[in-house]
Amino acid sequence: MKLNYENLSKKYLNFFENKDRCDFALTDVLFAFEELYDCINKPSINSILEIGSGTGILLNEFSKYFPSKKFIGLDPYESGFHNYEDITNELKKKDNLNFIKGHLKDFDKKLKFDLIFSFNVFEHVENQLDFVKISYDLLKDGGKKLIFFPNYDFPYEPHFVIPLIINKSITYKLFKNRIVKHEAITKEKGLWEGLNFNGKKKIEKMLHEQKIEFEFDETIKDKLFQRIKDDQSKYFRKRQNFVSNLALLSKKIYLDKLVFNFLKIPFPYLKLIFKKKYE
């Protein structure tokens, strides 16, 4: 199931200060909706929590397609995304949709959900282990948690569209002017400081040490290539610039198989899955 960009733009454009800011949000909504629709459409999924709901547009759309299911969006509106709270407050109130301002650690532990997901949020979390544990405890038996996030084992930072040079500190020194300029233009002050550059290797090690069961969905690779190819707004390709063009070229000439399968170069995006067993 896909949403239509033109319809979304007409519906939400006035909520943003300009078209670029609107497209920035909508390009993620389009991808996330398509990725999550089949999961939410299952009869066993009736209560859904999005951690880091941002503008609330994604849940607002889901609540329209699934009026009998309950949706909650949780967001502290920090780390460079302070203005998203204003957009959430403008959305029409619905019986099956509620937004809560706050941190995950303070969330009501009595509430349990069939599905919990976070989309491009994990990289903004300081203590990722606590994030995993707390959100896992909010799952019902048989519930599922999905986390979508960049893989910083691949030397690229997608928010600022810059290469990663050795570590976060050195990268900042080399690209300070670009980072400061980006935060000023987008009014996302604190975005860089709030990024957690853990990659797949560190996260795997952390989860194994804690004996937490998980899996990575490898199909996200083809879906990300498809996202670039089918980008309705053209904004995602425009923002990622040469990186998206290089990705499409590598896919076209099958270079992606050599790079990611044979040479084992880390893929730049991940989908992490947790399933809670029945007790």
Side-chain angles (χ1 to χ4, degrees), residues 41-160:
N41 193 34
K42 294 179 180 179
S44 59
I45 304 297
N46 293 293
S47 53
I48 300 98
L49 171 67
E50 180 181 9
I51 302 174
S53 50
T55 62
I57 291 175
L58 178 60
L59 286 189
N60 193 52
E61 291 300 307
F62 273 131
S63 67
K64 178 182 69 175
Y65 283 86
F66 300 101
S68 64
K69 300 180 188 255
K70 298 294 183 181
F71 298 87
I72 292 180
L74 175 68
D75 202 306
Y77 302 104
E78 294 179 349
S79 188
F81 298 97
H82 312 79
N83 60 320
Y84 283 2
E85 182 179 7
D86 296 333
I87 297 172
T88 301
N89 290 335
E90 291 187 46
L91 298 177
K92 185 177 180 181
K93 305 301 180 184
K94 297 180 181 179
D95 291 338
N96 70 328
L97 175 61
N98 185 31
F99 293 104
I100 299 173
K101 180 179 180 179
H103 291 273
L104 180 61
K105 63 182 178 61
D106 302 318
F107 191 70
D108 188 350
K109 305 302 187 295
K110 295 179 182 178
L111 296 175
K112 303 296 179 182
F113 299 88
D114 299 308
L115 174 68
I116 299 174
F117 71 87
S118 55
F119 199 90
N120 296 341
V121 170
F122 201 50
E123 71 271 24
H124 302 283
V125 175
E126 181 178 1
N127 191 324
Q128 293 176 326
L129 180 58
D130 280 355
F131 181 90
V132 169
K133 287 183 174 181
I134 296 172
S135 56
Y136 184 85
D137 288 340
L138 293 173
L139 286 173
K140 295 179 181 179
D141 289 348
K144 179 185 290 187
K145 173 161 178 59
L146 308 175
I147 304 178
F148 301 82
F149 60 103
N151 177 16
Y152 287 107
D153 287 339
F154 186 83
Y156 176 68
E157 207 307 295
H159 301 79
F160 295 88

Side-chain angles (χ1 to χ4, degrees), residues 221-222 225 246-257:
K221 295 179 181 179
D222 288 335
F225 281 115
L246 183 62
L248 290 178
L249 177 62
S250 68
K251 184 71 173 176
K252 186 175 182 179
I253 62 177
Y254 301 99
L255 185 61
D256 61 307
K257 304 297 183 184

